[in-house]
Amino acid sequence: MKVGLFVPCYVNQFYPGAAIATLQLLEKLGINIAFPPNQTCCGQPMANSGFEHLTQGCNDLIIKDFADYDYIVCPSGSCVLHIKEHIKSEKEPVKAASVSHKIYELVEFLTDILKVENLNAHFPYKVGVHQSCHGQRGLKLSQMSELVEPDFSKPMQLLNMVQELEIIPLNRKDECCGFGGTFCVVEEAISVKMGKDRVADHLSHGAEYITGADISCLMHMEGILRRQGSKTKVVHIAEILNAERV
């Protein structure tokens, strides 16, 4: 199995620990993983702002970097969903389609492809789990509460394998945090209010950490936590799944 690691630009710039944890975790699981050094943005910010016609350069680079891998793994649900649904190429349509079908967010790769059943991880804290909208409603990482169907959560499935981790309950487990990419820029006040409500739910139940599969949502909530002077921290799910006993 030949796997390529795609690290989104904002993860590379602001949260490299999430990328490092992803790499280390996959290596622990015996995966032969490579990191194409020329990769950059997936193009999602431009597309979300109405400029998808300017993202072909991003598409071309992703195809060039990753078309030859069996799987592509990325620690960001929103970037994965964007590539799945929007990558295209008039020159290389077959390769573009191939990339869209073999890119996976880390959690779904672990549960659906590797079918991980146990992890040697240790994280002795109270943790609140944020179900990001792109991951939940786009990638189907967990069940939406508005649907009357059997409940499931791939992030929870993995977190339940972590020793001494206590998952706290939430009043609204799949409420949006308000980040929404460029939404937090064009609708700042609404975004902040939604983020405060989301953070308050976690804090009211004693969360020491808030985790999730999309660091952009966690970044949004981290900003609110810092401004409130809270001791609660955010951590990408890869860092928990990769955590070892000290």
Side-chain angles (χ1 to χ4, degrees):
M1 183 187 295
K2 185 180 178 184
V3 179
L5 175 62
F6 174 55
V7 177
C9 49
Y10 72 95
V11 175
N12 181 52
Q13 292 293 319
F14 302 117
Y15 296 92
I20 294 170
T22 298
L23 174 64
Q24 292 177 341
L25 177 61
L26 292 172
E27 288 179 337
K28 286 179 183 177
L29 294 170
I31 301 302
N32 178 22
I33 191 162
F35 178 78
N38 296 321
Q39 59 182 280
T40 184
C41 182
C42 67
Q44 181 184 184
M46 287 181 284
N48 286 352
S49 301
F51 298 97
E52 188 173 353
H53 61 289
L54 300 179
T55 64
Q56 194 55 52
C58 295
N59 291 339
D60 292 341
L61 183 57
I62 291 170
I63 293 169
K64 179 181 178 181
D65 283 341
F66 293 101
D68 294 333
Y69 288 94
D70 299 319
Y71 294 98
I72 308 159
V73 179
C74 171
S76 170
S78 61
C79 296
V80 169
L81 185 63
H82 174 75
I83 293 173
K84 279 183 178 291
E85 295 189 344
H86 296 278
I87 193 167
K88 59 184 180 296
S89 173
E90 293 183 359
K91 296 180 180 179
E92 299 181 293
V94 175
K95 287 187 176 182
S98 174
V99 167
S100 73
H101 288 111
K102 61 188 177 183
I103 186 167
Y104 287 82
E105 184 275 327
L106 174 63
V107 166
E108 63 175 346
F109 184 72
L110 295 176
T111 58
D112 298 1
I113 303 302
L114 297 186
K115 301 187 184 303
V116 172
E117 296 183 353
N118 59 76
L119 289 167
N120 183 24
H122 180 255
F123 198 76
Y125 301 99
K126 293 181 178 180
V127 178
V129 180
H130 176 67
Q131 310 278 11
S132 298
C133 299
H134 283 91
Q136 183 171 49
R137 294 176 170 80
L139 299 176
K140 307 297 190 295
L141 297 184
S142 57
Q143 181 60 277
M144 296 169 277
S145 61
E146 61 266 27
L147 296 182
V148 184
E149 294 184 4
D151 187 52
F152 74 93
S153 173
K154 296 176 184 179
M156 291 288 195
Q157 180 181 331
L158 295 169
L159 289 170
N160 283 330
M161 301 176 192
V162 180
Q163 299 174 35
E164 295 191 52
L165 182 147
E166 180 183 344
I167 298 175
I168 63 167
L170 296 172
N171 295 331
R172 301 184 62 172
K173 64 180 182 180
D174 58 358
E175 185 176 24
C176 177
C177 71
F179 176 66
T182 53
F183 175 81
C184 70
V185 177
V186 298
E187 296 290 352
E188 178 185 356
I190 298 174
S191 174
V192 170
K193 182 60 172 67
M194 293 174 70
K196 286 182 177 180
D197 289 346
R198 183 77 300 229
V199 164
D201 193 0
H202 288 271
L203 296 182
S204 68
H205 290 89
E208 296 175 90
Y209 286 87
I210 301 175
T211 193
D214 217 323
I215 201 72
S216 56
C217 298
L218 298 177
M219 176 173 64
H220 177 59
M221 290 186 285
E222 182 180 42
I224 293 170
L225 289 167
R226 287 185 176 182
R227 285 167 177 78
Q228 293 179 343
S230 175
K231 294 181 180 180
T232 298
K233 301 176 182 179
V234 303
V235 59
H236 189 274
I237 191 170
E239 296 175 276
I240 294 180
L241 301 180
N242 186 55
E244 298 180 349
R245 189 183 297 272
V246 178

